[in-house]
Amino acid sequence: MMQIRDRIVELVRVPAGQLRPHPKNWRLHPAHQREALRGLLAEIGYADALLARRLPDGSLELIDGHLRAELTPDMEVPVLVLDLDEQEAAKLLALLDPLAGLAEPNEEVLQQLLAEVQTEHEAVREVLESISGGLPLLPEASEMPPDVPIPHTFQVVVECKDEEDQRLLYERLTQEGYRCRLLSL
């Protein structure tokens, strides 16, 4: 049987602004993700601990949870302190999100779950719609109020020369405050 070490030393609560961002944090957080996380934090609150390691000077260096810490700098947040050296922390930083992203959905169970989830926050709703395969999450017809006004939307579709061009344009427009969705045909 494989030996698996428990690397969690303690759970502490510290002001998020006191946590040091990892200098090799490779994750970028576009405007739509920031807004969706703000919405989820407003609707649910903190429901997961940040991950950090203690440095020789006693400070805590983040491994996971950079955006949460950035959005709530004055809030005391839960942090799991891990017993990791610099190389182990870099390995976890590099692999934690990509490993989670390798999970494959059970579409039937996912659609049932999404049918139960409700939100008041537009950015959270957009994330839920993207998870559902782009299908809008609408209430059942019997639950819809009569004469729901449908707002006008104005959209532009831009043809890009390749995926990199699409990524750069997407990043530029989201930084300028536009709500964008990626589309590949």
Side-chain angles (χ1 to χ4, degrees):
M1 179 157 74
M2 178 171 49
Q3 290 273 47
I4 299 177
R5 297 179 288 169
D6 181 351
R7 304 305 292 273
I8 300 170
V9 176
E10 62 182 320
L11 169 66
V12 297
R13 294 181 187 278
V14 298
Q18 290 181 6
L19 298 166
R20 292 175 52 179
H22 197 288
K24 295 179 182 172
N25 181 28
W26 57 274
R27 299 174 197 103
L28 299 176
H29 302 290
H32 68 277
Q33 181 193 22
R34 290 172 176 279
E35 191 57 32
L37 183 56
R38 278 188 191 97
L40 190 59
L41 287 170
E43 290 183 359
I44 301 289
Y46 265 83
D48 193 10
L50 288 69
L51 302 179
R53 71 183 189 107
R54 196 164 300 280
L55 297 175
D57 67 2
S59 65
L60 292 172
E61 179 180 72
L62 277 171
I63 298 168
D64 186 61
H66 290 80
L67 182 56
R68 285 174 283 162
E70 185 181 321
L71 293 178
T72 59
D74 299 324
M75 185 174 173
E76 230 178 54
V77 298
V79 180
L80 289 176
V81 180
L82 308 177
D83 175 27
L84 300 178
D85 63 26
E86 187 176 344
Q87 290 76 29
E88 291 169 322
K91 186 183 292 186
L92 189 58
L93 178 68
L95 291 169
L96 191 62
D97 285 349
L99 281 175
L102 293 175
E104 296 178 1
N106 176 325
E107 290 295 336
E108 182 180 333
V109 175
L110 175 60
Q111 293 307 322
Q112 290 171 359
L113 174 64
L114 293 175
E116 297 174 13
V117 176
Q118 298 177 4
T119 183
E120 298 295 320
H121 199 278
E122 181 61 28
V124 175
R125 184 178 191 87
E126 289 175 6
V127 170
L128 291 169
E129 287 176 0
S130 72
I131 293 169
S132 72
L135 301 173
L137 302 172
L138 297 174
E140 296 297 321
S142 61
E143 297 174 293
M144 289 192 65
D147 301 321
V148 175
I150 299 174
H152 291 291
T153 60
F154 303 94
Q155 301 177 359
V156 174
V157 175
V158 178
E159 190 171 318
C160 300
K161 64 182 175 195
D162 56 26
E163 189 175 4
E164 176 66 10
D165 187 38
Q166 180 189 42
R167 184 186 65 77
L168 292 171
L169 181 60
Y170 174 82
E171 288 175 358
R172 189 184 92 211
L173 292 174
T174 55
Q175 287 175 353
E176 290 179 18
Y178 291 98
R179 287 187 5 214
C180 300
R181 292 187 183 169
L182 295 176
L183 175 66
S184 297
L185 300 175

